[in-house]
Amino acid sequence: QKLGRLQPMEMVFGDVHHINIYLSRGDGTMATPKMIAWYDIATHRGRADIVLCEVGKFVRNRDLIGSFVRMCQDEYWGFPKTLYVDNGPEYQ
């Protein structure tokens, strides 16, 4: 199958990206936001949710599931036919 002939939402990629911006928390500790990103290869659309993790923690499976559900419920997105994600622990 040629990628140029895909229909919208036929293949969506998901990945977590670290954003190199430091934010100060209320308790004085520093944090870097994480972006859960979705990319529809047929339309070249991107969608993202930003997560600010607890001190010393990473994006959790429930953060990823929440982002996926929001994508599926978004009237401009919907449920993908094929989902391609990396092998990070948040996807397990």
Side-chain angles (χ1 to χ4, degrees):
Q1 180 173 4
K2 294 184 179 184
L3 291 180
R5 296 178 187 224
L6 293 175
Q7 296 298 309
M9 298 304 289
E10 191 170 339
M11 183 178 290
V12 172
F13 291 84
D15 200 6
V16 175
H17 300 274
H18 302 276
I19 302 172
N20 294 323
I21 298 172
Y22 287 94
L23 303 175
S24 178
R25 299 177 191 275
D27 64 2
T29 59
M30 300 300 285
T32 57
K34 312 299 184 242
M35 178 175 60
I36 301 171
W38 305 100
Y39 175 70
D40 182 345
I41 192 146
T43 62
H44 302 291
R45 295 179 304 155
R47 184 181 194 292
D49 287 310
I50 304 296
V51 177
L52 190 58
C53 300
E54 304 257 341
V55 177
K57 302 291 182 181
F58 300 97
V59 171
R60 299 165 295 189
N61 185 254
R62 72 180 187 185
D63 299 321
L64 186 72
I65 291 169
S67 180
F68 178 76
V69 168
R70 284 187 292 280
M71 177 186 67
C72 292
Q73 292 175 339
D74 186 324
E75 65 182 297
Y76 298 105
W77 282 74
F79 197 85
K81 181 176 180 183
T82 303
L83 188 62
Y84 182 86
V85 297
D86 70 12
N87 61 352
E90 63 273 3
Y91 293 98
Q92 302 302 317

